[in-house]
Amino acid sequence: MLSFPLRSVANTAKSFKDIWHDYKANSLFHQSAKSEVAAENESLARAKRHWLPRAYFTGQWFSTNDPTQVFFNNLGQRAVVAADFVPQDLNHPRQKSFQTGSLGIDFPLYEGGMKFAQIELYQNLLKSSELSLTASDIEEYAQLAQYYGPLLIYSAHQKSLLQIQAHLQ
């Protein structure tokens, strides 16, 4: 009657340390907080490399028959010829294609302390994320302990019921 569930629970007992380890390993909230700390750590590392030069390449291609875009892109590409000033061509240009590209290097010489303030910001954000992770661990630990306590009481009652059952048989 009552002995089947009692014996099955008694055989699967785990220590609180094991339960906490399993819970922490599978907690999505804990994994999310750890990922946030890792992201903040990467942001800080990236901000500390602010003084490194950056190389970049940009490219653009488009086709249009808008009068202002055609005229100003001809000016921008230094491709203006006398025929571009014919009123009919100015007001109703044919479809034209434009492409631009640039290659550059950005080498910061002076930033007015902005990047150092940004590094300090990321350090504080990292510290905040680490403290948030610790707080969530403590909160989850307390909640798990709150659930584990009644299980210990139930286990003690189970043992006494098993002893009573053994005396009755």
Side-chain angles (χ1 to χ4, degrees):
M1 359 166 174
L2 197 57
S3 63
F4 176 72
L6 291 177
R7 286 190 183 115
S8 67
V9 172
N11 293 336
T12 60
K14 279 187 164 183
S15 71
F16 183 75
K17 184 178 181 181
D18 293 338
I19 292 173
W20 171 243
H21 178 71
D22 292 345
Y23 182 80
K24 196 172 177 182
N26 296 318
S27 170
L28 296 177
F29 187 72
H30 180 75
Q31 292 172 0
S32 171
K34 278 177 60 175
S35 295
E36 187 176 331
V37 168
E40 294 296 343
N41 206 2
E42 183 60 33
S43 294
L44 175 61
R46 192 173 295 142
K48 285 182 177 180
R49 294 188 302 262
H50 70 88
W51 54 271
L52 292 173
R54 292 181 306 150
Y56 61 90
F57 173 76
T58 60
Q60 178 182 7
W61 178 90
F62 64 95
S63 180
T64 184
N65 67 349
D66 179 42
T68 56
Q69 288 213 351
V70 169
F71 182 71
F72 284 110
N73 279 307
N74 280 336
L75 283 176
Q77 291 187 352
R78 297 186 175 150
V80 177
V81 293
D84 290 331
F85 293 101
V86 174
Q88 181 63 23
D89 288 344
L90 278 174
N91 293 327
H92 304 288
R94 295 183 315 262
Q95 188 81 16
K96 285 201 156 191
S97 296
F98 298 96
Q99 58 274 350
T100 60
S102 62
L103 175 67
I105 294 179
D106 183 18
F107 189 70
L109 295 177
Y110 178 71
E111 297 166 333
M114 177 192 68
K115 292 295 184 175
F116 291 108
Q118 191 176 23
I119 290 172
E120 187 177 345
L121 168 78
Y122 283 124
Q123 286 172 337
N124 289 333
L125 285 174
L126 177 62
K127 192 182 299 183
S128 170
S129 294
E130 289 170 345
L131 290 174
S132 177
L133 175 63
T134 302
S136 71
D137 281 352
I138 291 170
E139 184 178 331
E140 288 182 339
Y141 188 88
Q143 191 173 18
L144 191 62
Q146 183 180 5
Y147 294 136
Y148 189 72
L151 288 175
L152 291 177
I153 294 170
Y154 176 72
S155 178
H157 286 300
Q158 174 188 10
K159 287 178 185 176
S160 65
L161 287 174
L162 286 173
Q163 288 175 352
I164 292 171
Q165 184 180 22
H167 286 303
L168 292 175
Q169 289 179 354

